[in-house]
Amino acid sequence: MTLKLKIIIGSTRPTRLGPKVATWFEGAAREHGKFEVELLDLVDFNLPVFDEPKHPRARDYQHEHTKKWSAAIEPADAFVFVTPEYNYYPPSSLINALDYLVLEWGRKPAAVVSYGGISGGLRATEALRPLLATLNMMPIPQALPVPLFGTMIGDDGVFRPTEPIVQGVKPMLDELAIWADGLQTMRRALS
């Protein structure tokens, strides 16, 4: 059974550059070959600040945007969150999207591709991991920080990472696949 990887673009800011990084990573994940890959952009879900009247654990969603978000996340076996670093933290749009759901995230591994200035978004990655664990995901230690990412976007608008960043993709996705396979087996046994 093919493992399903959902790559989630965490920023919704109108002038964001995350889709450029995410599009590159999507191609690298497809080339890796261990996952069926889908790129999800939070902009397409138009999630307002959490507005469901019931706790997400009940899965009794009242709003169409939540039902659409749940349906997109549920079939995943693994996640990669592509996030910038805003004020040493992931963007509120990503935190809000995570808070919308509970059970859909559970027992699935997650990795982070972060981008930013000199730190490459690592502080956002470290801030995100406890929330992922609280939602019962397994945040793997392998991450892909992209420092000074703006220097890797050409005049044509295409993101072209440095060789060390390219080399970081395979070990991260290999580890994500190991966890995804094991946790998929566990989820089936528990269902």
Side-chain angles (χ1 to χ4, degrees):
M1 186 178 294
T2 304
L3 297 169
K4 293 177 176 66
L5 173 64
K6 305 286 183 158
I7 300 169
I8 299 170
I9 302 172
S11 175
T12 59
R13 199 166 49 97
T15 58
R16 70 206 170 120
L17 297 174
K20 296 177 187 305
V21 176
T23 298
W24 164 77
F25 185 79
E26 176 190 18
R30 288 184 191 286
E31 188 176 303
H32 180 262
K34 292 187 180 176
F35 294 98
E36 177 186 313
V37 178
E38 183 180 5
L39 182 61
L40 301 176
D41 190 340
L42 289 182
V43 165
D44 297 333
F45 293 88
N46 199 27
L47 297 170
V49 174
F50 185 69
D51 66 346
E52 284 291 335
K54 297 181 182 176
H55 192 284
R57 185 170 290 284
R59 292 183 79 167
D60 185 10
Y61 305 128
Q62 305 302 304
H63 301 292
E64 286 306 313
H65 55 258
T66 312
K67 293 173 185 176
K68 180 181 172 187
W69 180 230
S70 174
I73 296 304
E74 178 65 34
D77 295 304
F79 304 102
V80 171
F81 297 96
V82 178
T83 185
E85 180 176 298
Y86 298 157
N87 301 319
Y88 299 174
Y89 208 72
S92 57
S93 53
L94 179 54
I95 302 303
N96 184 58
L98 288 163
D99 284 345
Y100 258 90
L101 308 175
V102 172
L103 299 177
E104 294 87 342
W105 303 117
R107 298 185 179 103
K108 298 173 185 179
V112 181
V113 173
S114 60
Y115 58 95
I118 193 71
S119 75
L122 278 173
R123 294 170 293 213
T125 297
E126 290 305 309
L128 189 56
R129 284 185 173 143
L131 177 56
L132 301 179
T134 297
L135 290 168
N136 212 19
M137 282 182 259
M138 173 57 207
I140 65 170
Q142 292 77 6
L144 194 63
V146 183
L148 304 172
F149 79 102
T151 64
M152 299 174 213
I153 298 173
D155 291 339
D156 59 358
V158 176
F159 175 74
R160 292 181 184 86
T162 61
E163 190 57 30
I165 293 167
V166 171
Q167 291 174 1
V169 172
K170 184 179 182 328
M172 185 179 83
L173 289 176
D174 284 348
E175 188 69 15
L176 196 65
I178 290 167
W179 280 97
D181 185 54
L183 290 174
Q184 182 187 63
T185 302
M186 182 184 8
R187 287 193 316 276
R188 274 196 304 248
L190 293 172
S191 63

